[in-house]
Amino acid sequence: MMAEVEIKIGDIIAAKKFGPLEHDFTGEVSKVYDNSVLVEIRDFDPADKTAVGDMNNRAVVRKSAAKIIEAKSDED
């Protein structure tokens, strides 16, 4: 089994569209679970504005579907 990169709180991830979202989005990890992460949605398609608002700008994303685009540095 391939070791996955550990996703940490503060990392910025790219996630695929799901549920009410019609486009992919990016967000900051605010909580890490065993197989998923809670993401504060930061950047999304304007067409998804209502859906993002309905979700309180949060989404739970499977770790396997999350791609780290900016890892939080440990120096902070």
Side-chain angles (χ1 to χ4, degrees), residues 5-8 11-14 29 66-72:
V5 178
E6 188 183 341
I7 300 174
K8 301 184 297 298
D11 287 351
I12 305 298
I13 62 153
V29 176
K67 180 172 182 259
I68 297 175
I69 53 176
E70 186 184 317
K72 179 169 171 45

Side-chain angles (χ1 to χ4, degrees), residues 3-73:
E4 24 182 315
V5 178
E6 188 183 341
I7 300 174
K8 301 184 297 298
I9 291 173
D11 287 351
I12 305 298
I13 62 153
K16 297 285 182 203
K17 63 184 179 178
F18 73 96
L21 301 172
E22 294 179 20
H23 305 86
D24 296 349
F25 60 95
T26 63
E28 182 177 340
V29 176
S30 57
K31 191 161 173 70
V32 178
Y33 302 104
D34 288 341
N35 299 307
S36 58
V37 290
L38 178 64
V39 177
E40 286 278 343
I41 300 172
R42 297 275 193 249
D43 192 30
F44 56 92
D45 190 282
D48 287 333
K49 184 173 173 55
T50 302
V52 170
D54 289 347
M55 297 164 66
N56 295 319
N57 288 54
R58 290 190 175 98
V60 174
V61 178
R62 285 193 321 273
K63 285 183 179 176
S64 60
K67 180 172 182 259
I68 297 175
I69 53 176
E70 186 184 317
K72 179 169 171 45
S73 68

